[in-house]
Amino acid sequence: MDTFTEIALVGVILSLVYEGIQRVFGSPENAWASKLSVIALSIVVGGAYFFLNGTVIWQNILGVLAAASTMYAIFFSGKNAK
């Protein structure tokens, strides 16, 4: 279950990085350029995950995200903005 959560986290990070690159540089005109850039980003983000996995830094990142999502679920998700 932990690996599934970590893979989802890596996917979200990859999506955010790709979206940020598209906002700064614009969308590639060619579909193949878009696919190749996603593959290259996947290798970079996956490599960072590989080297960070099992380190104290990675455990701290997961701990902060878990605490933040718990606080959001307890205090902010049920409130309506009326």
Side-chain angles (χ1 to χ4, degrees):
M1 187 67 172
D2 291 337
T3 305
F4 179 75
T5 305
E6 292 174 3
I7 291 172
L9 177 63
V10 170
V12 168
I13 292 170
L14 176 66
S15 297
L16 292 173
V17 169
Y18 185 70
E19 184 177 324
I21 290 172
Q22 280 187 330
R23 285 186 183 186
V24 171
F25 297 108
S27 261
E29 298 282 329
N30 189 350
W32 281 103
S34 178
K35 291 176 185 178
L36 289 175
S37 62
V38 168
I39 290 170
L41 279 172
S42 298
I43 292 170
V44 169
V45 173
Y49 167 75
F50 177 78
F51 288 111
L52 286 175
N53 189 18
T55 63
V56 175
I57 294 170
W58 186 251
Q59 298 303 321
N60 288 334
I61 290 169
L62 293 179
V64 167
L65 290 175
S69 65
T70 302
M71 295 302 284
Y72 175 80
I74 291 173
F75 294 110
F76 300 111
S77 67
K79 293 185 177 181
N80 292 331
K82 290 185 178 181

